[in-house]
Amino acid sequence: MTVHSQGAATAPQDAPHEPGGPKAPQPPQRPAGAPEEAPAPRGRRAALPSGWLPYLLVAPAVLSMAVLLLYPLAKNVILSFQKVDKIEFIQRRAPFHGVENYTQLLGDAQFWTVVLRSFLFTAANVAVIMVVGSLIGLLLNRLGKWMRLVLSMALVMAWAMPIVASVTVFQWLFDEQFGVMNWLMRTLGFAGYEQHNWFESGLSTLVIITVLVVWGSVPFVALNMYAGLTTVGGELYEAARMDGANGWQTFWQVVFPNLKPFFLVTTFLEVIWVFKAFTQVYAMNRGGPDRASETLPVFAFVEGQSQGHYALAAAVSVLTIVMLVVVMSFYFRLILKQEEEQ
């Protein structure tokens, strides 16, 4: 005991409690079976609700697409319902024109000729691209290491070449005076190829453009085909050989069923890319001669920039999008059906 000057006696704070004396307060007891509470984090901000995190992550991409794609598309649709020719463009007027632009297009025989040409051009290109690309992909799978590397590098260089540069090369190959093709045909003994003009008709021009488009698109299909073939197990090929299947039967019974999603997606992408191809068609011969090689994108550009019918060109682009969506709905159903089967 310690006695202070005032005469009050206090016990030291660290002295033990005597039996029977007042007990120190005890912390509240946790009920039996209750989960332990996690310690509160220190120095951290309050976490966002988990449901908002995916939306925050995709928000920049969605906003960028809205600014770069949705806004121009909306303005283009509005323009297609207005009357904007050269006079209105100079006067900065855009009077409402209703569906007159669409009525004019749907009643124009030239427009439907361009539509038919565009579909035939797309179908021919996609068919050749898928066949040639698949064959080269199968070849890559059979080649040795070094030959596969050489062929892959050649495909990548062809794929990476800028479109305008490749168009310039093809224009030189088919040049009227100094073209390699005229020299080759004369060397092979064909007559009539002295300064032969390969761009004298729309059909011959589209054939040359088709060769260019196929040449630039085959690498994508071939490399993806080879990548898909690496996922097919070797035991499947062995089982097919034991059953006596030849190469064609092995492809249809083993390769194609396993790579069906690849063929669907790749065909889907090629249809979109070829249908909207503009640079190859316009840079090769500007849609000529006499607009005989125009496809829908080139037709819209010529109507807008060359003819000055800006609203009519906008209507052409809207109809092009609608046609493409209708055509691709078939592939959407196939892809959804494939996912359901899996």
Side-chain angles (χ1 to χ4, degrees):
M1 303 286 286
T2 303
V3 179
H4 294 274
S5 60
Q6 289 82 356
T10 60
Q13 295 180 357
D14 55 350
H17 291 281
E18 298 178 359
K23 297 182 179 180
Q26 298 294 328
Q29 298 294 327
R30 180 173 55 88
E36 296 183 0
E37 296 181 0
R42 297 180 180 179
R44 295 182 181 180
R45 297 180 179 178
L48 292 173
S50 59
W52 286 95
L53 182 59
Y55 298 99
L56 293 177
L57 293 176
V58 302
V62 173
L63 292 177
S64 301
M65 291 181 62
V67 174
L68 299 177
L69 296 177
L70 294 181
Y71 177 74
L73 179 60
K75 293 289 291 184
N76 190 70
V77 173
I78 295 174
L79 178 61
S80 66
F81 292 99
Q82 296 173 338
K83 179 176 176 56
V84 181
D85 293 333
K86 292 181 179 180
I87 297 177
E88 288 79 11
F89 182 78
I90 295 174
Q91 296 177 348
R92 296 182 179 274
R93 296 189 304 108
F96 182 73
H97 203 45
V99 295
E100 292 296 328
N101 293 322
Y102 293 97
T103 304
Q104 180 179 347
L105 285 173
L106 296 178
D108 187 2
Q110 182 182 3
F111 172 74
W112 289 110
T113 301
V114 174
V115 170
L116 179 61
R117 184 187 301 133
S118 300
F119 278 102
L120 294 177
F121 175 77
T122 301
N125 276 271
V126 173
V128 176
I129 289 170
M130 293 303 299
V131 172
V132 176
S134 299
L135 292 176
I136 296 179
L138 292 171
L139 178 63
L140 286 171
N141 194 43
R142 299 294 298 272
L143 290 176
K145 177 181 178 180
W146 293 109
M147 287 302 299
R148 183 188 304 121
L149 178 62
V150 172
L151 181 56
S152 299
M153 292 179 61
L155 291 172
V156 170
M157 287 189 290
W159 190 19
M161 179 175 288
I163 297 178
V164 176
S166 60
V167 170
T168 304
V169 172
F170 270 75
Q171 286 176 335
W172 172 75
L173 290 174
F174 292 92
D175 185 72
E176 185 175 350
Q177 295 183 356
F178 308 105
V180 175
M181 289 303 301
N182 282 339
W183 169 83
L184 180 62
M185 298 300 288
R186 293 195 303 268
T187 303
L188 294 177
F190 292 95
Y193 286 93
E194 294 288 342
Q195 297 186 355
H196 175 70
N197 183 11
W198 291 88
F199 301 100
E200 63 181 356
S201 67
L203 179 60
S204 60
T205 302
L206 287 174
V207 170
I208 297 173
I209 296 172
T210 298
V211 176
L212 171 62
V213 173
V214 170
W215 175 79
S217 301
V218 158
F220 172 78
V221 179
L223 294 175
N224 279 277
M225 179 70 177
Y226 169 67
L229 288 172
T230 58
T231 64
V232 180
E235 64 277 3
L236 297 177
Y237 295 104
E238 184 65 25
R241 283 193 294 267
M242 293 179 63
D243 291 338
N246 55 28
W248 184 254
Q249 292 172 335
T250 301
F251 175 81
W252 281 111
Q253 300 298 328
V254 176
V255 176
F256 185 78
N258 286 276
L259 297 184
K260 189 175 180 180
F262 155 78
F263 286 105
L264 290 176
V265 175
T266 306
T267 304
F268 171 79
L269 294 176
E270 289 297 333
V271 169
I272 294 177
W273 289 339
V274 175
F275 195 82
K276 69 181 185 64
F278 169 79
T279 308
Q280 297 93 328
V281 181
Y282 186 78
M284 185 66 72
N285 200 21
R286 298 184 180 274
D290 297 328
R291 306 184 67 175
S293 63
E294 288 182 351
T295 56
L296 279 171
V298 178
F299 179 77
F301 179 82
V302 172
E303 286 293 327
Q305 297 298 322
S306 300
Q307 305 297 326
H309 305 312
Y310 304 103
L312 190 66
V316 174
S317 63
V318 172
L319 290 176
T320 302
I321 295 175
V322 172
M323 293 177 187
L324 187 59
V325 170
V326 172
V327 172
M328 296 313 300
S329 62
F330 173 73
Y331 288 98
F332 285 132
R333 290 189 298 174
L334 289 179
I335 292 174
L336 293 176
K337 183 180 180 180
Q338 181 70 23
E339 293 180 353
E340 292 176 357
E341 292 177 354
Q342 294 178 353

